[in-house]
Amino acid sequence: MKLIAVTSGSQKEARLFQVIMGISPYVDAIMLREKQMTKSGYSLFVQRLLAQGLPAEKLIIHGHQILPKETAVPTLHLPENRLPEVDCLQKKYPCLQIGVSTHSLEVAKRAEQVGAAYVLYGHVFSTASKKGVKPRGVKQLATVAKALNIPVYAIGGITTGKVNDIYQAKAGGVAVMSGIFSHTDPLEAVKSFRKEVNGYEGTR
């Protein structure tokens, strides 16, 4: 199983930089989901991380389709409403890995058909970022994971105690936002997730 940290867009840049560099050895990837940043600000932030030794392979660019080419980061993630762009981008940048956020089996299947390398599926559990919205649950996650041949990563309300449920659903891993970046000690949180995920090391 994979452990992906997803930034929340709620931290100041200096603190975010510090947290990312601290947790990077313990995660498989860090998705930089900072919608409030300008494109130029986002690009500079990515370049700072890379200059400090963060491997490009550990970063996932969120939304900015031209940045992977500019920064040599090999993975781009798009929100569900930008699914139609995947095919075109894949043809333009054949070495680029593109992931897509999905919220239904139908869209997840379509993402695979157009060339997505993986999908995020959620929200699986109740989460503060989706107040009042019913979670999709482990059963639906399992249905999506079974139907696809590409990795399906669960997102939404993920805690260490729910990693086994995610594994049993045959998902490829977990994507964690608030469980890491809203934690009082993000490094300790990541270490706890890493320990739990390591129980399924080498699986899916």
Side-chain angles (χ1 to χ4, degrees), residues 66-113:
I66 198 169
L67 288 188
K69 184 180 179 182
E70 293 179 352
T71 61
V73 173
T75 308
L76 170 69
H77 187 85
L78 297 176
E80 185 173 272
N81 64 359
R82 291 179 61 186
L83 176 60
E85 298 177 33
V86 174
D87 185 50
C88 179
L89 286 170
Q90 205 71 82
K91 290 174 181 175
K92 191 173 183 180
Y93 307 111
C95 293
L96 185 64
Q97 296 185 79
I98 304 174
V100 181
S101 292
T102 62
H103 305 88
S104 70
L105 175 59
E106 179 187 0
V107 174
K109 283 182 174 179
R110 202 181 317 146
E112 181 176 41
Q113 289 167 358

Coordinates of all heavy atoms in Angstrom, one line a residue, residues 66-113:
I66 N 1.1 22.7 -16.8 CA 2.3 23.0 -17.4 C 3.5 22.8 -16.5 O 4.7 22.6 -16.9 CB 2.4 24.4 -18.0 CG1 3.5 24.5 -19.1 CG2 2.5 25.4 -17.0 CD1 3.4 25.8 -19.9
L67 N 3.3 22.8 -15.2 CA 4.4 22.7 -14.2 C 5.2 21.5 -14.3 O 6.4 21.5 -14.0 CB 3.9 23.0 -12.8 CG 3.5 24.5 -12.6 CD1 3.2 24.7 -11.1 CD2 4.6 25.4 -13.0
P68 N 4.6 20.3 -14.5 CA 5.5 19.1 -14.5 C 6.6 19.2 -15.6 O 7.7 18.8 -15.4 CB 4.5 18.0 -14.9 CG 3.2 18.5 -14.3 CD 3.2 20.0 -14.6
K69 N 6.3 19.8 -16.7 CA 7.3 20.0 -17.8 C 8.3 21.0 -17.3 O 9.5 20.8 -17.5 CB 6.6 20.5 -19.0 CG 7.6 20.6 -20.2 CD 6.9 21.1 -21.5 CE 7.9 21.3 -22.6 NZ 7.3 21.8 -23.8
E70 N 7.9 22.1 -16.6 CA 8.8 23.1 -16.2 C 9.7 22.6 -15.0 O 10.9 23.1 -14.9 CB 8.1 24.3 -15.7 CG 7.3 25.1 -16.8 CD 6.5 26.3 -16.3 OE1 6.5 26.4 -15.1 OE2 6.0 27.0 -17.1
T71 N 9.2 21.7 -14.2 CA 10.0 21.3 -13.0 C 10.5 19.9 -13.0 O 11.1 19.5 -12.1 CB 9.0 21.5 -11.8 OG1 7.9 20.6 -11.9 CG2 8.5 22.9 -11.6
A72 N 10.1 19.1 -14.0 CA 10.5 17.7 -14.1 C 9.8 16.8 -13.1 O 10.2 15.7 -12.9 CB 12.0 17.6 -14.1
V73 N 8.8 17.4 -12.5 CA 8.0 16.5 -11.6 C 7.2 15.6 -12.5 O 6.4 16.1 -13.4 CB 7.1 17.4 -10.7 CG1 6.1 16.5 -9.9 CG2 7.9 18.2 -9.7
P74 N 7.2 14.3 -12.3 CA 6.6 13.4 -13.3 C 5.1 13.1 -13.1 O 4.5 12.4 -14.0 CB 7.4 12.1 -13.1 CG 7.7 12.1 -11.6 CD 8.0 13.6 -11.3
T75 N 4.5 13.7 -12.1 CA 3.1 13.3 -11.8 C 2.2 14.6 -11.7 O 2.6 15.5 -10.9 CB 3.0 12.4 -10.6 OG1 3.8 11.3 -10.7 CG2 1.5 11.9 -10.4
L76 N 1.1 14.5 -12.3 CA 0.1 15.6 -12.3 C -1.2 15.1 -11.8 O -1.6 14.0 -12.2 CB -0.1 16.2 -13.7 CG -1.2 17.2 -13.9 CD1 -0.9 18.5 -13.1 CD2 -1.4 17.5 -15.4
H77 N -1.9 15.8 -10.9 CA -3.2 15.4 -10.5 C -4.2 16.4 -10.9 O -4.0 17.6 -10.7 CB -3.2 15.2 -8.9 CG -4.5 14.6 -8.5 ND1 -4.7 13.2 -8.4 CD2 -5.7 15.2 -8.0 CE1 -6.0 13.0 -8.0 NE2 -6.5 14.2 -7.8
L78 N -5.4 15.9 -11.4 CA -6.4 16.8 -11.8 C -7.7 16.5 -11.1 O -8.0 15.4 -10.7 CB -6.7 16.6 -13.3 CG -5.6 16.9 -14.3 CD1 -6.0 16.6 -15.7 CD2 -5.2 18.4 -14.2
P79 N -8.5 17.6 -10.8 CA -9.8 17.3 -10.2 C -10.8 16.7 -11.2 O -10.5 16.6 -12.4 CB -10.3 18.8 -9.9 CG -9.6 19.6 -10.8 CD -8.3 19.0 -11.0
E80 N -11.9 16.1 -10.7 CA -12.8 15.3 -11.5 C -13.3 16.1 -12.7 O -13.4 15.6 -13.8 CB -14.0 14.9 -10.7 CG -14.9 13.9 -11.4 CD -16.0 13.4 -10.5 OE1 -15.7 12.3 -9.9 OE2 -17.0 14.0 -10.3
N81 N -13.6 17.4 -12.6 CA -14.1 18.2 -13.7 C -13.2 18.5 -14.8 O -13.5 19.0 -15.8 CB -14.7 19.5 -13.1 CG -13.7 20.4 -12.5 OD1 -12.5 20.1 -12.5 ND2 -14.1 21.6 -12.1
R82 N -11.9 18.1 -14.6 CA -10.9 18.2 -15.7 C -10.5 16.9 -16.3 O -9.5 16.8 -17.0 CB -9.7 19.0 -15.1 CG -10.0 20.4 -14.8 CD -8.8 21.2 -14.2 NE -7.7 21.2 -15.2 CZ -6.5 21.7 -14.9 NH1 -6.3 22.2 -13.7 NH2 -5.6 21.7 -15.8
L83 N -11.3 15.9 -16.1 CA -11.1 14.6 -16.6 C -10.9 14.6 -18.2 O -10.1 13.9 -18.7 CB -12.2 13.6 -16.2 CG -12.2 12.2 -16.8 CD1 -10.9 11.5 -16.4 CD2 -13.4 11.4 -16.4
P84 N -11.7 15.4 -18.9 CA -11.6 15.5 -20.4 C -10.2 15.9 -20.9 O -9.9 15.6 -22.0 CB -12.7 16.5 -20.8 CG -13.7 16.4 -19.7 CD -12.9 16.2 -18.4
E85 N -9.4 16.5 -20.0 CA -8.1 16.9 -20.4 C -7.0 15.8 -20.4 O -6.0 16.0 -21.0 CB -7.6 18.1 -19.5 CG -8.4 19.3 -19.5 CD -7.9 20.3 -18.4 OE1 -6.7 20.4 -18.2 OE2 -8.8 21.0 -17.8
V86 N -7.3 14.7 -19.8 CA -6.3 13.7 -19.6 C -5.8 13.1 -20.9 O -4.6 13.0 -21.1 CB -6.9 12.5 -18.7 CG1 -5.9 11.4 -18.7 CG2 -7.2 13.0 -17.3
D87 N -6.7 12.8 -21.8 CA -6.3 12.2 -23.1 C -5.4 13.1 -23.8 O -4.3 12.7 -24.4 CB -7.5 11.8 -23.9 CG -7.2 11.1 -25.2 OD1 -6.4 10.1 -25.1 OD2 -7.6 11.5 -26.3
C88 N -5.7 14.4 -23.9 CA -4.9 15.3 -24.7 C -3.5 15.5 -24.0 O -2.5 15.5 -24.7 CB -5.6 16.7 -24.7 SG -4.7 18.0 -25.6
L89 N -3.5 15.6 -22.7 CA -2.3 15.8 -22.0 C -1.4 14.6 -22.1 O -0.1 14.7 -22.3 CB -2.5 16.1 -20.5 CG -3.0 17.5 -20.2 CD1 -3.5 17.6 -18.7 CD2 -2.0 18.6 -20.4
Q90 N -2.0 13.4 -22.1 CA -1.2 12.2 -22.2 C -0.5 12.1 -23.6 O 0.6 11.6 -23.7 CB -2.1 11.0 -22.0 CG -1.4 9.7 -21.5 CD -1.0 9.8 -20.1 OE1 -1.8 9.6 -19.2 NE2 0.3 10.1 -19.9
K91 N -1.2 12.6 -24.6 CA -0.6 12.6 -26.0 C 0.5 13.6 -26.1 O 1.5 13.4 -26.8 CB -1.7 12.8 -27.0 CG -2.7 11.6 -27.2 CD -3.9 12.0 -28.1 CE -4.8 10.8 -28.2 NZ -6.0 11.2 -29.0
K92 N 0.3 14.7 -25.4 CA 1.3 15.8 -25.5 C 2.5 15.5 -24.7 O 3.6 15.8 -25.1 CB 0.6 17.1 -25.0 CG 1.4 18.4 -25.3 CD 0.6 19.6 -24.9 CE 1.4 20.9 -25.2 NZ 0.7 22.1 -24.9
Y93 N 2.3 14.9 -23.5 CA 3.4 14.6 -22.6 C 3.3 13.1 -22.3 O 2.8 12.7 -21.2 CB 3.3 15.4 -21.3 CG 3.2 16.9 -21.5 CD1 2.1 17.6 -21.3 CD2 4.3 17.6 -22.0 CE1 2.0 18.9 -21.5 CE2 4.2 19.0 -22.2 CZ 3.1 19.6 -22.0 OH 3.0 21.0 -22.2
P94 N 3.7 12.2 -23.1 CA 3.6 10.8 -22.9 C 4.2 10.2 -21.7 O 3.8 9.1 -21.2 CB 4.2 10.2 -24.2 CG 5.0 11.2 -24.8 CD 4.4 12.5 -24.4
C95 N 5.2 10.9 -21.2 CA 5.9 10.4 -20.0 C 5.3 10.8 -18.7 O 5.7 10.4 -17.6 CB 7.4 10.8 -20.0 SG 8.4 10.0 -21.3
L96 N 4.3 11.7 -18.8 CA 3.6 12.2 -17.6 C 2.6 11.3 -17.1 O 1.8 10.7 -17.8 CB 2.9 13.5 -18.0 CG 2.2 14.3 -16.9 CD1 3.3 14.8 -15.9 CD2 1.5 15.5 -17.5
Q97 N 2.7 11.1 -15.7 CA 1.6 10.3 -15.1 C 0.5 11.2 -14.6 O 0.8 12.2 -13.9 CB 2.2 9.5 -13.9 CG 3.3 8.5 -14.2 CD 3.7 7.7 -13.0 OE1 3.1 6.8 -12.5 NE2 4.9 8.2 -12.5
I98 N -0.7 10.9 -14.9 CA -1.8 11.7 -14.5 C -2.8 11.0 -13.7 O -3.2 9.9 -14.0 CB -2.5 12.3 -15.8 CG1 -1.5 13.0 -16.7 CG2 -3.7 13.2 -15.4 CD1 -2.1 13.4 -18.0
G99 N -3.1 11.6 -12.5 CA -4.1 11.0 -11.6 C -5.3 11.9 -11.6 O -5.2 13.1 -11.9
V100 N -6.5 11.3 -11.2 CA -7.7 12.1 -11.2 C -8.5 11.8 -10.0 O -8.6 10.7 -9.5 CB -8.6 11.7 -12.5 CG1 -9.9 12.5 -12.5 CG2 -7.8 11.9 -13.8
S101 N -9.1 12.9 -9.4 CA -10.1 12.7 -8.3 C -11.4 12.2 -8.9 O -11.9 12.7 -9.9 CB -10.3 14.0 -7.6 OG -9.1 14.4 -6.9
T102 N -12.0 11.2 -8.2 CA -13.2 10.6 -8.7 C -14.2 10.4 -7.5 O -13.7 10.2 -6.4 CB -13.0 9.3 -9.4 OG1 -12.4 8.3 -8.5 CG2 -12.1 9.4 -10.6
H103 N -15.5 10.4 -7.8 CA -16.5 10.2 -6.7 C -17.5 9.2 -7.1 O -18.6 9.1 -6.4 CB -17.1 11.6 -6.4 CG -16.1 12.7 -6.1 ND1 -15.5 13.5 -7.0 CD2 -15.6 13.0 -4.9 CE1 -14.6 14.3 -6.4 NE2 -14.7 14.0 -5.1
S104 N -17.3 8.5 -8.2 CA -18.2 7.5 -8.6 C -17.5 6.4 -9.4 O -16.4 6.6 -10.0 CB -19.4 8.1 -9.4 OG -18.9 8.5 -10.7
L105 N -18.1 5.2 -9.5 CA -17.6 4.1 -10.3 C -17.5 4.5 -11.7 O -16.5 4.2 -12.4 CB -18.4 2.9 -10.1 CG -18.0 1.7 -10.9 CD1 -16.6 1.2 -10.7 CD2 -19.0 0.5 -10.7
E106 N -18.5 5.2 -12.2 CA -18.6 5.5 -13.7 C -17.4 6.4 -14.0 O -16.8 6.2 -15.1 CB -19.9 6.3 -13.9 CG -20.1 6.7 -15.4 CD -21.3 7.6 -15.6 OE1 -22.1 7.8 -14.6 OE2 -21.5 8.0 -16.8
V107 N -17.2 7.5 -13.2 CA -16.1 8.4 -13.5 C -14.7 7.7 -13.4 O -13.8 7.9 -14.2 CB -16.2 9.7 -12.7 CG1 -15.0 10.6 -12.9 CG2 -17.5 10.4 -13.0
A108 N -14.6 6.9 -12.4 CA -13.3 6.1 -12.2 C -13.0 5.3 -13.4 O -11.9 5.2 -13.9 CB -13.4 5.3 -10.9
K109 N -14.0 4.6 -13.9 CA -13.8 3.8 -15.1 C -13.4 4.6 -16.3 O -12.5 4.3 -17.1 CB -15.1 3.0 -15.4 CG -15.4 1.8 -14.6 CD -16.6 1.1 -15.0 CE -16.9 -0.2 -14.3 NZ -18.1 -0.9 -14.7
R110 N -14.1 5.8 -16.4 CA -13.8 6.7 -17.5 C -12.3 7.2 -17.4 O -11.6 7.3 -18.4 CB -14.7 7.8 -17.6 CG -14.8 8.5 -19.0 CD -15.8 9.7 -19.0 NE -17.0 9.3 -18.2 CZ -17.7 10.2 -17.5 NH1 -17.3 11.5 -17.4 NH2 -18.8 9.9 -16.9
A111 N -11.9 7.5 -16.2 CA -10.5 8.0 -16.0 C -9.5 6.9 -16.5 O -8.5 7.2 -17.1 CB -10.3 8.3 -14.5
E112 N -9.8 5.7 -16.1 CA -8.9 4.6 -16.6 C -8.9 4.5 -18.1 O -7.8 4.3 -18.7 CB -9.3 3.3 -15.9 CG -8.4 2.1 -16.4 CD -8.7 0.8 -15.7 OE1 -9.9 0.5 -15.5 OE2 -7.8 0.1 -15.3
Q113 N -10.0 4.6 -18.7 CA -10.2 4.5 -20.1 C -9.4 5.5 -20.9 O -8.8 5.3 -22.0 CB -11.6 4.5 -20.6 CG -12.4 3.3 -20.1 CD -13.9 3.4 -20.3 OE1 -14.4 4.5 -20.6 NE2 -14.7 2.4 -20.0

